[in-house]
Amino acid sequence: MNYYSIPPLVTSILFILLGTFCLSKGKRKEDVFSFALLCFVTFIWQFSWFLLFNTSSDQIASILVKVGYTGIIFIPITYFHFMSSFLKIQNYRSILKTFYGYGFILVFLLWATNYFVKGYYEYYWGYYPKAGFIHPFHLLQVFVVTIWMLYLLGTNIKHIKSNPVRYNQLKYVILGILFYFLKHKVAAHFADRHSSFQKAVLQAQAAREEAKKRYDEMAHRMEKLEKTTTESIEQARVEAEKMKQT
């Protein structure tokens, strides 16, 4: 097993256990159910990456990057769902339906086209998805939802300081969300840095191969020139010998 795949494996196990535990305690509560959905889509993302880092098949990798991104697409949506129900925000149903509809459109584009994910990179730790040209729309969605929810959390936390339990819950939710998205940002930055590094390595290898090719061509020409010169000298010597004999 590729040891680089251990972190996503551990993360996926923790999230599926956490989601299952929450459902067993209060599956009829919308905030609990939506949090379990968030755990489930995170499990899909992380467990797909665990499999992706361990496969050596191009065909399996092309499927796993889409399975993983199916989960990633719904992370900000289920996050909004959970926070809206947790904060008991009124009249959020229409927005929630719009977000889920937007998510299903992205999933359709993910599986039917190469606009969202256009294949994968090959790194030393395994395969990794290559973003398509509409991928920034997903990042924009993540940014907008995160800022919006943090704003709502900040405004709500001021009104519930009289309730210590609820106040602590909100503080831990804020901390957890910041850690969650910080981890995602660090992972993306790590992949981008290695993508740039790999491109530089490939360019250096290409330059080295080109230099070697030109060196071989030059060496071949010099060898040919040396051979021609030697033959010319030998021919001149023979002609000189003949002239002496006559």
Side-chain angles (χ1 to χ4, degrees):
M1 183 174 66
N2 180 355
Y3 64 88
Y4 288 104
S5 68
I6 294 177
L9 174 62
V10 173
T11 303
S12 63
I13 292 173
L14 291 175
F15 269 96
I16 196 64
L17 290 177
L18 179 60
T20 303
F21 173 78
C22 290
L23 281 178
S24 67
K25 294 298 181 180
K27 60 183 179 181
R28 294 186 178 181
K29 296 180 179 179
E30 187 172 4
D31 54 348
V32 175
F33 177 75
S34 56
F35 181 76
L37 280 179
L38 176 60
C39 292
F40 179 67
V41 295
T42 304
F43 165 78
I44 293 176
W45 163 36
Q46 289 292 287
F47 192 72
S48 297
W49 272 204
F50 161 70
L51 298 176
L52 185 64
F53 294 168
N54 282 287
T55 187
S56 58
S57 169
D58 293 346
Q59 293 180 340
I60 294 177
S62 63
I63 295 174
L64 286 174
V65 294
K66 294 187 176 183
V67 173
Y69 254 97
T70 300
I72 290 173
I73 287 171
F74 284 102
I75 287 175
I77 300 170
T78 53
Y79 162 50
F80 172 81
H81 190 176
F82 163 65
M83 292 306 304
S84 299
S85 56
F86 179 77
L87 295 174
K88 297 178 171 43
I89 299 174
Q90 302 296 325
N91 303 321
Y92 71 91
R93 289 288 181 180
S94 59
I95 300 176
L96 183 62
K97 290 179 181 178
T98 301
F99 279 173
Y100 273 109
Y102 182 78
F104 282 113
I105 291 173
L106 289 181
V107 169
F108 171 78
L109 293 173
L110 170 67
W111 286 92
T113 70
N114 291 323
Y115 299 154
F116 195 89
V117 172
K118 57 176 182 179
Y120 45 77
Y121 297 104
E122 293 184 47
Y123 297 116
Y124 61 85
W125 72 79
Y127 295 99
Y128 199 81
K130 184 186 296 184
F133 77 91
I134 67 170
H135 186 269
F137 290 97
H138 167 67
L139 299 180
L140 178 63
Q141 177 196 26
V142 173
F143 177 78
V144 170
V145 172
T146 303
I147 297 300
W148 187 8
M149 287 296 100
L150 286 175
Y151 168 75
L152 291 175
L153 279 169
T155 54
N156 276 270
I157 202 170
K158 297 176 182 179
H159 300 99
I160 61 169
K161 287 186 177 180
S162 58
N163 187 335
V165 175
R166 188 70 172 173
Y167 180 70
N168 285 330
Q169 286 178 340
L170 274 177
K171 285 197 300 185
Y172 288 127
V173 166
I174 293 174
L175 181 63
I177 289 168
L178 289 174
F179 179 78
Y180 184 97
F181 282 97
L182 178 63
K183 172 187 175 296
H184 181 68
K185 181 65 177 177
V186 169
H189 177 71
F190 179 75
D192 290 340
R193 288 290 299 273
H194 277 78
S195 175
S196 301
F197 175 75
Q198 188 177 45
K199 288 179 181 178
V201 170
L202 291 175
Q203 289 173 353
Q205 290 177 344
R208 185 182 64 182
E209 292 295 329
E210 182 65 21
K212 184 177 182 299
K213 180 180 177 182
R214 290 183 179 276
Y215 174 81
D216 291 340
E217 290 177 354
M218 183 63 70
H220 178 70
R221 290 178 182 177
M222 292 296 294
E223 183 180 356
K224 187 176 180 180
L225 179 61
E226 182 181 3
K227 183 179 179 182
T228 302
T229 304
T230 302
E231 290 176 352
S232 299
I233 293 173
E234 181 64 23
Q235 186 177 3
R237 188 186 66 79
V238 172
E239 292 293 334
E241 290 291 335
K242 288 181 180 181
M243 290 178 66
K244 286 182 181 180
Q245 292 175 1
T246 58

